[in-house]
Amino acid sequence: GAVVSQHPSWVICKSGTSVKIECRSLDFQATTMFWYRQFPKQSLMLMATSNEGSKATYEQGVEKDKFLINHASLTLSTLTVTSAHPEDSSFYICSAADRGPGNTIYFGEGSWLTVV
Amino acid sequence: QKEVEQDPGPLSVPEGAIVSLNCTYSNSAFQYFMWYRQYSRKGPELLMYTYSSGNKEDGRFTAQVDKSSKYISLFIRDSQPSDSATYLCAMSWNNNDMRFGAGTRLTVKP
C-alpha cells in the first residue's frame, strides 16, 4: 500500500535553533500534503496545506514565518520550525493525498520534537 | 458546536468483545468518512474509508455511515489486545480538507 515517510522520527534541539522535518510519499505522487501537530492525548490539529509548486495555506492562528513549509517536488514536503521554543515541543505529523485509484490520504509516522 | 464530535473515552473491554465507536457531525457537506487507528507515539493508520451511506466490512472491522442522522460508527468484532489504540474518525467534503474527531482511547484486556 501507499507509504508516507517522515524524517526524523524524533529530534531534540536547543531553544532558538531551527529544525527541519521531511515528509516523503514513497510510491505515489502527492500534489497536496498536510501538516498537523498533536499534543499528548489530543486530536490532530491541521497547521497547513502544502501544494506542490505554490505557497502553503496556513490555518488560522498558525504563524507562517515560524513554521516554514516547502513543497518543492511531488514527493517531498518539508516543515521547518524556526527559532524553536519549548512550547513548540509536540508531535508533528504529515499526510499526503494519493489522487490515484485509491483516492485517499495517508499519514506519516510522525516526528517528535522536543525543544530544550 | 464542533464539526465532529467523538467521545474520547477511555473505553475498556475484555478480549473477544464487540466494540462500537461512534462519531457525529454537523456539516452535511461531508462526503468522505474515514477511521484511523493510532498507536501511542505513531502516526495514524487508515483503517476504513467510505463514501456513501451504508456498511462496509473489512475483516473484523465494519464501518457504518448514516448521512441522514449525521452519524458514523466503527465496529470491531472479536476484539484483541492488539486493537488497543486510539481510534480517530475523520471526514471531508472534498477528500482534501479533513476534520478529525477527538479520538477514542480503546483498551482491550486479555
Side-chain angles (χ1 to χ4, degrees):
Chain A
V3 177
V4 175
S5 172
Q6 255 184 269
H7 178 81
S9 55
W10 61 271
V11 58
I12 300 173
C13 72
K14 290 185 178 180
S15 186
T17 62
S18 296
V19 175
K20 180 185 285 187
I21 301 170
E22 293 185 348
C23 179
R24 294 181 185 271
S25 56
L26 296 185
D27 55 4
F28 65 95
Q29 292 184 329
T31 54
T32 307
M33 290 185 173
F34 307 88
W35 287 96
Y36 298 83
R37 67 187 300 182
Q38 186 178 33
F39 293 106
K41 300 184 180 181
Q42 295 189 24
S43 190
L44 298 156
M45 283 177 31
L46 179 64
M47 298 174 66
T49 300
S50 168
N51 296 297
E52 188 267 337
S54 64
K55 290 184 179 179
T57 303
Y58 289 81
E59 295 298 300
Q60 192 173 9
V62 178
E63 299 174 60
K64 64 176 78 173
D65 294 330
K66 180 166 185 64
F67 298 100
L68 301 178
I69 291 172
N70 183 280
H71 193 157
S73 78
L74 287 171
T75 58
L76 174 64
S77 177
T78 61
L79 167 69
T80 301
V81 183
T82 62
S83 187
H85 291 283
E87 57 264 32
D88 297 325
S89 300
S90 185
F91 191 45
Y92 292 88
I93 307 173
C94 73
S95 66
D98 178 2
R99 300 305 180 195
N103 195 28
T104 190
I105 293 174
Y106 297 94
F107 283 84
E109 284 288 290
S111 300
W112 279 98
L113 170 63
T114 301
V115 184
V116 297
Chain B
Q1 181 187 11
K2 291 182 181 177
E3 278 189 293
V4 181
E5 297 275 3
Q6 182 178 10
D7 186 344
L11 178 63
S12 181
V13 301
E15 184 175 357
I18 296 175
V19 176
S20 173
L21 304 166
N22 312 292
C23 288
T24 58
Y25 62 96
S26 58
N27 189 344
S28 58
F30 287 137
Q31 297 291 326
Y32 304 89
F33 304 91
M34 290 138 288
W35 285 95
Y36 287 87
R37 177 174 62 195
Q38 185 177 24
Y39 292 111
S40 182
R41 297 177 175 248
K42 296 286 187 182
E45 168 194 10
L46 179 66
L47 276 180
M48 301 288 282
Y49 173 89
T50 56
Y51 174 71
S52 57
S53 283
N55 293 355
K56 181 177 181 180
E57 191 172 315
D58 184 1
R60 296 185 295 111
F61 298 92
T62 299
Q64 192 174 75
V65 174
D66 183 347
K67 287 186 177 180
S68 62
S69 301
K70 299 189 181 69
Y71 187 88
I72 69 170
S73 300
L74 177 70
F75 298 97
I76 307 174
R77 291 184 299 280
D78 188 24
S79 56
Q80 303 295 311
S82 57
D83 295 327
S84 299
T86 296
Y87 290 81
L88 297 154
C89 65
M91 41 200 84
S92 171
W93 52 90
N94 58 6
N95 205 34
N96 198 22
D97 301 297
M98 296 175 69
R99 294 293 181 263
F100 286 89
T104 300
R105 297 183 69 189
L106 170 68
T107 300
V108 180
K109 296 183 176 180

